[in-house]
Amino acid sequence: RLMRNKGVRKHHGKSAEMYARVPNVLLEKWMREDGVNALAMRKGEFSKWIKRKLATAEGSACRVSDRAI
């Protein structure tokens, strides 16, 4: 799936409407590591949390757009 993200990034570039594709397995891993339930977070809390995760080296592989977070 992460390889597919590279293809999407190359195809859409900066015009991509989507910012990232995070596999469920990775999302679950992040939630376990941080001890959070992303499904119970408010919209603003989830946005801040996921932006922080996508800014990491591991999260950058999920991004399909180069635009700023």
Side-chain angles (χ1 to χ4, degrees), residues 34 36-53:
D34 292 354
V36 299
N37 181 356
L39 300 176
M41 290 182 181
R42 293 184 181 150
K43 183 178 178 183
E45 292 173 344
F46 178 78
S47 296
K48 289 178 186 176
W49 179 76
I50 199 71
K51 285 177 184 178
R52 219 174 36 250
K53 289 304 205 178

Side-chain angles (χ1 to χ4, degrees), residues 16-40:
E17 292 178 14
M18 178 184 337
Y19 183 76
R21 286 180 162 182
V22 181
N24 289 338
V25 174
L26 186 55
L27 186 59
E28 289 178 28
K29 176 185 174 215
W30 288 345
M31 289 188 322
R32 277 194 312 275
E33 289 174 353
D34 292 354
V36 299
N37 181 356
L39 300 176

